Amino acid sequence: MAKEIEPAPLFRTWKAWYILVVLWLCGMVVFFYWLTKYFQ
Amino acid sequence: MNLLDWLVLLCTLAGIIIFGLYKSRTTRNLEGYFLSNRSMPWWIVLLSIMGTQASAITFLSAPGQAFADGMRFVQYYFGLPLAMVVICITFVPLFNRLKVFTAYEFLEKRFDTKTRLLTSFLFLLQRGLSTGISIYAPSLILSSLFGWEILYTNMVMGGLLIVYTVSGGARAVAYTQQLQFLIIFAAMFLAGYMVVHLMPPDIGFVDALHISGKLGKFNVITTGVEDGKFNWDDRYNIWSGVIGGFFLSLSYFGTDQSQVGRYLTAQNNRESRLGLLLNGIVKIPMQFFILLIGVLIFAFYQFNGAPISFNSGLVDDVRASGFAQKAGQVERQYASINLQKQAAASQFAAAVTKGRQDSVAQLTQKLRALNDSSAAFREQYKAIGKQASRRDTNDTNYVFLSFVKQHLPGGLRGLLIAIIFLASWGSIAAALNSLAASTVCDFHQRFATKNTPEQEYKISKWYTFGWGVFCVLVAEFANQLGQSLIEAVNVLGSLFYGVILGIFLLAFYLKKVSGTAAFWSAVIVELFVVILFFNERLEPFSFLPDVSFLWLNAIGALGVVLVGLLLQTFTRGTSSAQP
């Protein structure tokens, strides 16, 4: 894998970005589940 | 369509072409033409990735899908953010380090020439045909609803964008996609606002969601479990979305040159990654919003009689046929149900506002029964339509534009028709650019005499033009084959994507597998996938099980990996190339 030379924006590492994307997905699933139940 | 609609439509389309030509200046070599000199910032990469994926059918089908089946289609995109993370870790640094022009160039460095050529050929075959069908599908809908000649609609849908795509290459494609995407979303937002605005005065946004929700259309999360068992035939649920969507997105964004070519235009790894990761963040809300418009249209048609078929061309054909009397009876019964639905929906909204839970429950049952009855009449009409006309009787893709045509004011109607063309142009332009890049870099440079950078630049323009003409011809030919081809674009992708992903998985994760094993594994599994899909028509293979096309992605990818490993074990070959 290429040596990391470009810094990740906002966070210190790219790993934080990857975690953010996965957490965002989980958050959306929870929100959508709530919407499904609320309007059922 | 009135004069204002035509003015808005023509000005929007002309504006995009002029803007594309204005942004056409690029250095006269392959790096400039196909990769925009690797100079793009992340936000252009992001909009370019999104503009490539979102074709006209996305904006036509998704609201119709929500109207017919509810919001659960959004789950199909749940695997996408995870795939973006994997692509950013694995694919992006490798492609950028090797400075490749096409994803398939990497396969020659890792395996050998024949594996690169096979994979590139599979891509060209699949992308060339599916782009043709992508031109045909929205043209068919527009021509049926507005009575336009399909020959000329195809030419505008697939032909005009050739001007700036040939002239400016990847740079013109990226900049026009940026502008197209902004116009598309402004127009879709206006459409969503208008649906709510056109409902009865006492019905608001939340009321509309309550009505759709009670009638089963706000099913955003579904588990696929029925009677305590998981239903494998259920296409859209959270599990198929996360797992199936992950493999599909990995294969599409990681190995399809039309997408790889977009993030290869980025300045560096950082800009490519940011574009991809932000795509992972915004894609699901974007798709949710487009589906929400379909759910709002569903609520709108509880208060306003929905047509018996949203394909008005079909209705005209039926009324002009010998089945007119029989169809007339069905239409009258359907109209009567519509009136009862409107009354029940108004009572329901009043009951929700006043908080009368008993009435809400009672009216929900009544509305469900009335919706079931109207669905049954629509099915009867479809059956008559099949006998009376050659047109598509499945009107899901016609719901949104039918609403636009019948209920939106002049000007906005023209704008929403324009965005169908813009969405189509965005994805087709990227496809033409990637088809030309693969033809020139993977084939022409290998088999033709050596050219100067200036000559290669000119040849690339001719290939882009040639692919544009080819795709328009495929669209014209598709019209001769029949109207059910709209779904064929998904099937075509699934026939090839799995195998292409399998080759890349071997390249990335199984370093011991040689080029020869990968090549023959891909050939064998591709043949198997095609036979499996057509097994009903091939008598010697009729013993094979019937498999839904979505599963072909996983079968192709895992098949190539397994067969590749087996061949490597038996041939005891060695991998000579370096990743």
Side-chain angles (χ1 to χ4, degrees):
Chain A
M1 191 172 287
K3 193 183 168 195
E4 189 63 71
I5 48 170
E6 302 92 6
L10 295 179
F11 305 111
R12 201 177 291 175
T13 63
W14 280 102
K15 197 181 282 182
W17 266 99
Y18 303 144
I19 292 168
L20 175 78
V21 172
V22 175
L23 284 178
W24 172 250
L25 172 67
C26 297
M28 273 189 300
V29 171
V30 171
F31 175 61
F32 289 155
Y33 182 75
W34 175 80
L35 279 179
T36 304
K37 291 291 168 196
Y38 183 77
F39 287 109
Q40 206 169 42
Chain B
M1 291 272 285
N2 60 25
L3 183 65
L4 183 61
D5 290 325
W6 280 108
L7 264 176
V8 171
L9 173 64
L10 295 176
C11 288
T12 311
L13 299 189
I16 288 292
I17 295 171
I18 293 165
F19 182 70
L21 288 171
Y22 170 68
K23 289 287 182 184
S24 283
R25 202 187 312 163
T26 180
T27 49
R28 297 164 76 87
N29 56 27
L30 289 189
E31 183 113 337
Y33 191 69
F34 288 131
L35 300 178
S36 194
N37 288 319
R38 302 183 198 265
S39 61
M40 293 295 181
W42 64 265
W43 65 88
I44 303 264
V45 174
L46 168 68
L47 290 170
S48 196
I49 287 169
M50 295 179 79
T52 301
Q53 190 181 17
S55 69
I57 278 296
T58 306
F59 295 95
L60 292 174
S61 271
Q65 182 79 26
F67 180 93
D69 191 42
M71 296 288 292
R72 68 193 186 120
F73 181 66
V74 77
Q75 296 170 114
Y76 196 57
Y77 294 90
F78 282 1
L80 189 143
L82 303 173
M84 294 298 105
V85 169
V86 174
I87 289 167
C88 286
I89 293 171
T90 316
F91 291 64
V92 171
L94 207 54
F95 287 158
N96 279 333
R97 179 162 61 93
L98 296 172
K99 297 277 177 204
V100 293
F101 278 82
T102 71
Y104 319 113
E105 197 178 334
F106 157 72
L107 293 175
E108 182 165 8
K109 296 178 194 291
R110 165 64 181 87
F111 289 131
D112 50 27
T113 309
K114 61 179 181 298
T115 311
R116 172 187 181 179
L117 294 182
L118 172 72
T119 318
S120 183
F121 172 75
L122 291 178
F123 162 73
L124 291 175
L125 184 67
Q126 179 261 332
R127 184 50 60 195
L129 293 175
S130 62
T131 303
I133 297 170
S134 304
I135 295 170
Y136 168 68
S139 300
L140 173 67
I141 295 165
L142 283 168
S143 67
S144 190
L145 285 175
F146 294 95
W148 297 346
E149 182 59 51
I150 191 151
L151 181 81
Y152 302 119
T153 317
N154 272 337
M155 284 181 180
V156 176
M157 192 70 73
L160 289 185
L161 69 126
I162 296 175
V163 176
Y164 66 79
T165 311
V166 167
S167 164
R171 181 178 149 84
V173 171
Y175 276 103
T176 46
Q177 280 176 326
Q178 178 195 10
L179 188 60
Q180 285 160 350
F181 217 66
L182 294 175
I183 296 171
I184 288 168
F185 266 85
M188 288 302 277
F189 182 80
L190 278 174
Y193 170 79
M194 286 304 294
V195 184
V196 179
H197 178 73
L198 289 169
M199 283 195 217
D202 51 339
I203 305 297
F205 175 71
V206 178
D207 301 319
L209 296 189
H210 272 297
I211 292 170
S212 301
K214 295 285 183 204
L215 295 172
K217 302 296 178 188
F218 222 83
N219 50 351
V220 196
I221 300 288
T222 57
T223 59
V225 176
E226 289 170 18
D227 302 326
K229 283 185 180 173
F230 185 74
N231 180 7
W232 290 94
D233 290 336
D234 184 41
R235 193 175 284 181
Y236 308 118
N237 56 62
I238 188 165
W239 308 115
S240 69
V242 172
I243 300 166
F246 171 76
F247 277 100
L248 196 65
S249 301
L250 197 60
S251 145
Y252 176 57
F253 288 95
T255 72
D256 189 311
Q257 180 61 24
S258 64
Q259 280 296 354
V260 176
R262 299 317 103 213
Y263 57 80
L264 284 182
T265 61
Q267 288 164 11
N268 49 39
N269 276 342
R270 178 183 184 272
E271 306 298 301
S272 294
R273 281 173 171 166
L274 263 184
L276 285 164
L277 289 174
L278 289 172
N279 180 45
I281 286 177
V282 299
K283 182 70 190 177
I284 296 173
M286 176 191 118
Q287 213 58 41
F288 178 85
F289 166 68
I290 298 171
L291 287 164
L292 193 64
I293 292 175
V295 164
L296 292 173
I297 291 175
F298 176 82
F300 171 85
Y301 279 124
Q302 300 303 307
F303 299 97
N304 302 272
I308 194 156
S309 171
F310 289 96
N311 183 352
S312 55
L314 178 79
V315 176
D316 293 341
D317 282 0
V318 170
R319 285 177 184 166
S321 74
F323 297 91
Q325 199 180 358
K326 191 179 172 188
Q329 284 175 354
V330 178
E331 282 189 58
R332 281 189 290 279
Q333 288 169 304
Y334 179 75
S336 157
I337 294 286
N338 263 346
L339 287 174
Q340 293 176 54
K341 240 166 59 173
Q342 288 166 34
S346 298
Q347 289 168 1
F348 176 89
V352 168
T353 310
K354 289 171 186 167
R356 292 181 187 159
Q357 290 306 317
D358 289 353
S359 301
V360 168
Q362 201 180 1
L363 287 162
T364 300
Q365 292 305 321
K366 190 176 179 183
L367 269 175
R368 280 182 187 161
L370 287 167
N371 272 284
D372 289 346
S373 298
S374 64
F377 284 121
R378 274 166 54 80
E379 285 303 319
Q380 281 184 35
Y381 197 83
K382 275 182 196 175
I384 296 170
K386 274 182 187 157
Q387 294 171 292
S389 171
R390 279 187 71 238
R391 291 182 197 269
D392 197 2
T393 52
N394 180 0
D395 61 349
T396 306
N397 295 327
Y398 294 75
V399 171
F400 180 62
L401 268 191
S402 171
F403 169 80
V404 168
K405 181 188 169 190
Q406 290 185 349
H407 298 286
L408 291 193
L412 186 55
R413 202 165 35 209
L415 181 65
L416 280 154
I417 294 164
I419 70 161
I420 301 304
F421 283 98
L422 298 193
S424 187
W425 287 7
S427 60
I428 294 165
L432 296 186
N433 185 256
S434 64
L435 285 164
S438 290
T439 315
V440 172
C441 300
D442 297 330
F443 290 93
H444 184 92
Q445 283 183 328
R446 178 170 306 282
F447 298 113
T449 51
K450 184 101 179 127
N451 294 296
T452 63
E454 172 82 17
Q455 285 170 324
E456 283 179 333
Y457 166 76
K458 285 181 179 166
I459 288 165
S460 302
K461 283 186 155 190
W462 278 109
Y463 274 115
T464 309
F465 178 75
W467 274 112
V469 173
F470 172 83
C471 293
V472 174
L473 288 176
V474 170
E476 301 295 1
F477 182 66
N479 191 40
Q480 308 298 316
L481 291 179
Q483 304 205 348
S484 59
L485 269 180
I486 286 180
E487 305 302 330
V489 70
N490 294 326
V491 178
L492 255 175
S494 297
L495 284 176
F496 298 97
Y497 271 153
V499 171
I500 295 176
L501 177 63
I503 297 170
F504 275 86
L505 291 179
L506 282 179
F508 283 125
Y509 299 112
L510 294 160
K511 300 282 165 64
K512 287 181 182 173
V513 176
S514 69
T516 303
F519 176 84
W520 287 111
S521 162
V523 171
I524 292 165
V525 176
E526 186 58 67
L527 280 173
F528 176 73
V529 167
V530 172
I531 288 169
L532 188 63
F533 183 71
F534 291 105
N535 70 339
E536 282 179 359
R537 294 177 203 176
L538 302 168
E539 206 167 303
F541 300 101
S542 56
F543 64 92
L544 289 169
D546 293 336
V547 177
S548 167
F549 71 87
L550 281 171
W551 289 106
L552 298 177
N553 293 294
I555 292 170
L558 296 175
V560 169
V561 171
L562 285 175
V563 176
L565 276 172
L566 278 174
L567 286 176
Q568 184 62 33
T569 309
F570 287 120
T571 57
R572 293 180 187 278
T574 52
S575 174
S576 55
Q578 296 296 312

